[in-house]
Amino acid sequence: MQMKTGVEQSLYAILILNMLPDRAVLPGEAISQQLHASPTYTQKILRKLVRADLITSVPGVKGGFKLTRKPEEIRVYDIYLAIEGKQSLYSPSGVFHDMLNLEEDHDCALTALMAEAENSWKSILKRETVASIYEEINTEYNPKVQALQEWLKDKMV
């Protein structure tokens, strides 16, 4: 399993938006700049986050993006779903059935194990929120977070 970089970039984009004052927005270009990502790719992931109702897009010259919910209400799993979708991480290819010459109505030997692993992984992502991740980062890297907040003051609208 390999998660797309869009999940990581989306989480950090939302963490940046979390630092904005209530009525402020941040242009997509500034988010792209801070993430060191291409503006085109950043816009793509921001659109997915808007469709998932995690952030909102404010149009216009003084437009940008802001959170639609409180950081305590945005789970890491919500961000994952917005970017990756709901498909299962494991999909049997039929090797088990071919190997034992079985009918299709038998489960692959790995199906239950992979479902259990995926459920454990999902429960951990559902447990953590943007607020909990931000608190951890702010505690561990406070001077760097403060520098980022100063940068935001110049970029927000």
Side-chain angles (χ1 to χ4, degrees):
M1 172 193 93
Q2 185 169 359
M3 197 179 316
K4 294 178 187 143
T5 59
V7 175
E8 179 183 20
Q9 290 175 337
S10 295
L11 172 67
Y12 294 128
I14 286 177
L15 282 168
I16 291 168
L17 295 174
N18 171 62
M19 294 184 221
L20 293 174
D22 283 342
R23 296 190 186 267
V25 297
L26 188 64
E29 300 81 37
I31 296 170
S32 174
Q33 178 186 7
Q34 190 60 42
L35 296 177
H36 304 280
S38 90
T40 305
Y41 187 72
T42 302
Q43 286 297 325
K44 179 181 172 184
I45 64 171
L46 292 173
R47 279 194 304 275
K48 287 183 177 188
L49 296 172
V50 168
R51 278 196 301 270
D53 198 34
L54 299 175
I55 65 173
T56 189
S57 174
V58 177
V61 176
K62 296 205 178 240
F65 296 90
K66 64 181 181 175
L67 297 182
T68 58
R69 302 186 222 166
K70 294 177 183 174
E72 299 82 19
E73 297 170 353
I74 301 174
R75 300 171 302 164
V76 174
Y77 185 67
D78 299 329
I79 298 167
Y80 171 81
L81 282 180
I83 302 305
E84 295 281 350
K86 290 185 178 185
Q87 74 276 4
S88 179
L89 298 175
Y90 174 72
S91 179
S93 65
V95 172
F96 180 70
H97 294 92
D98 293 345
M99 180 179 76
L100 297 178
N101 198 24
L102 296 173
E103 300 297 321
E104 290 296 319
D105 61 338
H106 293 85
D107 280 339
C108 167
L110 288 176
T111 300
L113 176 65
M114 296 305 274
E116 182 181 1
E118 188 170 340
N119 287 336
S120 294
W121 179 77
K122 285 179 182 178
S123 71
I124 292 168
L125 294 183
K126 288 176 181 177
R127 177 181 71 208
E128 295 298 325
T129 66
V130 169
S132 66
I133 300 284
Y134 177 76
E135 184 178 318
E136 183 179 330
I137 290 170
N138 194 32
T139 300
E140 182 75 20
Y141 304 101
N142 185 271
K144 298 289 186 179
V145 170
Q146 287 178 353
L148 177 58
Q149 288 171 332
E150 287 301 314
W151 176 86
L152 277 171
K153 287 179 185 176
D154 292 334
K155 301 294 181 180
M156 66 184 176
V157 181

